[in-house]
């Protein structure tokens, strides 16, 4: 673990992510397993600290998550099968929950293998409770998408954000996906590939901005259809897309 963490950091990694527990798309690791011992996770955390950055872990369940938190991991990715006990520990340690509002609905991921299909159904049954527990105990929450493998699904990232309406106001959801996510990314300190301010609108910050036809603070559903509702998209201060409806030719940045 020490060797590989050092290796990927030397190759330019800004933070470290480990699979501390079983996964959905992978067929050979049941959801309940712990894939690293405490000593292994602590070794990864210790090496990351020597590079002034942090460790995140993919994990769904209590035991693996608690081992990771005890080892000093600062971000739990997914966590939808954790109990209140683990959410309390996260709040006490100030750890982040990077979670996706994945539900077994019309936008559910599809898998060719019945094992992954069953795992997806299991984890999505925990989504509702996980968000409620995070809010109850004041855990810092980031917006993740986990949009893998399928370009058609990836195109629904805006729609995925609108699903946060179940638990958050439009303001809270938008703040989570912008300002709050930026705070999590900034934990990588000097390894930060974005040395300017992120997730804020102010002079000197990264100008990644979206101009919306309408007010998403009143109607979060506007972000579900960017082709229709995003009038201008600016990336790092450069306009990369505009809508013809504004009388400005639509173009892509070089």
């Amino acid at each position: 673990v020490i060797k590989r963490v050092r290796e990927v950091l030397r190759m330019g990694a800004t933070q470290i992510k480990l699979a501390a527990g079983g996964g959905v798309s992978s067929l050979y690791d049941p959801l309940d397993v712990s894939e690293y011992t405490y000593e292994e996770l602590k070794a990864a955390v210790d090496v990351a600290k020597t590079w002034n950055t942090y460790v995140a872990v993919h994990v769904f369940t209590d035991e693996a998550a608690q081992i990771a938190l005890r080892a000093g991991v600062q971000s739990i990715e997914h966590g939808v099968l954790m109990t209140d006990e683990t959410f309390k520990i996260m709040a006490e340690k100030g750890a982040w929950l990077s979670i996706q509002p994945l539900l077994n609905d019309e936008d559910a991921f599809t898998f060719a293998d019945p094992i992954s299909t069953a795992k997806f159904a299991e984890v999505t049954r925990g989504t509702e409770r996980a968000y409620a527990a995070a809010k109850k105990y004041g855990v810092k929450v980031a917006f993740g998408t986990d949009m893998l493998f399928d370009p058609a699904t990836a195109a629904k990232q805006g729609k995925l954000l609108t699903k946060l309406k179940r638990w958050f106001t439009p303001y809270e959801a938008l703040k989570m996906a912008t300002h709050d996510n930026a705070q999590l990314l900034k934990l990588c300190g000097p390894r930060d590939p974005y040395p300017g301010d992120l997730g804020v609108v102010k002079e000197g910050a990264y100008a990644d901005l979206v101009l919306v036809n309408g007010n998403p603070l009143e109607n979060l559903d506007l972000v579900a259809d960017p082709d229709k509702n995003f009038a201008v998209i600016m990336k790092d201060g450069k306009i990369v897309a505009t809508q013809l409806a504004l009388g400005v030719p639509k173009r892509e940045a070089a």
Side-chain angles (χ1 to χ4, degrees):
V1 171
I2 291 172
K3 177 181 178 179
R4 293 308 183 194
V5 172
R6 285 178 175 155
E7 182 177 71
V8 296
L9 287 167
R10 286 199 303 268
M11 292 170 67
T14 55
Q15 58 268 96
I16 299 298
K17 182 176 179 181
L18 302 174
V24 170
S25 60
S26 46
L27 303 180
Y28 305 106
D29 51 349
L31 293 174
D32 63 292
V33 303
S34 298
E35 299 196 358
Y36 288 89
T37 65
Y38 165 80
E39 289 78 12
E40 289 172 318
L41 287 170
K42 182 66 165 55
V45 169
D46 287 346
V47 174
K49 284 181 178 178
T50 68
W51 279 68
N52 298 307
T53 186
Y54 71 100
V55 175
V57 293
H58 156 106
V59 65
F60 289 104
T61 55
D62 270 329
E63 184 172 1
Q66 290 184 21
I67 292 172
L69 292 166
R70 190 157 53 89
V73 165
Q74 295 189 52
S75 181
I76 299 293
E77 319 273 315
H78 311 309
V80 293
L81 300 180
M82 300 185 311
T83 64
D84 282 27
E85 179 185 3
T86 302
F87 282 100
K88 290 179 183 177
I89 295 172
M90 291 185 67
E92 291 168 359
K93 291 184 174 293
W96 282 81
L97 177 69
S98 180
I99 185 173
Q100 304 75 23
L102 297 178
L103 302 165
N104 201 7
D105 57 10
E106 73 277 6
D107 301 309
F109 291 1
T110 57
F111 302 91
D113 193 282
I115 294 175
S116 291
T117 300
K119 286 182 176 182
F120 183 80
E122 181 178 352
V123 300
T124 52
R125 284 194 292 269
T127 299
E128 184 88 38
R129 194 197 59 77
Y131 274 107
K135 289 194 69 175
K136 178 179 179 181
Y137 296 107
V139 174
K140 293 181 288 189
V141 181
F143 171 68
T145 61
D146 210 29
M147 295 295 194
L148 303 175
F149 315 125
D150 182 1
T153 303
K156 297 180 180 179
Q157 293 183 67
K159 185 178 182 183
L160 190 70
L161 179 64
T162 67
K163 295 179 188 291
L164 291 176
K165 293 186 301 181
R166 290 170 174 257
W167 310 282
F168 303 97
T169 66
Y171 169 79
E172 290 172 329
L174 292 167
K175 177 175 175 289
M176 183 190 303
T178 54
H179 174 272
D180 296 354
N181 275 17
Q183 302 309 302
L184 173 56
L185 291 173
K186 286 295 183 180
L187 293 182
C188 63
R191 306 285 77 78
D192 186 359
Y194 306 104
D197 290 329
L198 292 177
V200 294
V201 180
K202 74 175 191 178
E203 184 176 355
Y206 272 84
D208 296 344
L209 303 170
V210 176
L211 180 63
V212 182
N213 281 321
N215 187 353
L217 291 174
E218 297 176 352
N219 179 15
L220 188 60
D221 289 335
L222 289 169
V223 304
D225 191 348
D227 289 338
K228 177 182 178 182
N229 300 316
F230 285 9
V232 175
I233 300 175
M234 180 180 286
K235 173 64 178 172
D236 196 14
K238 299 178 180 179
I239 293 176
V240 297
T242 59
Q243 289 287 6
L244 290 172
L246 294 183
V248 181
K250 192 169 185 177
R251 65 184 179 88
E252 297 295 327

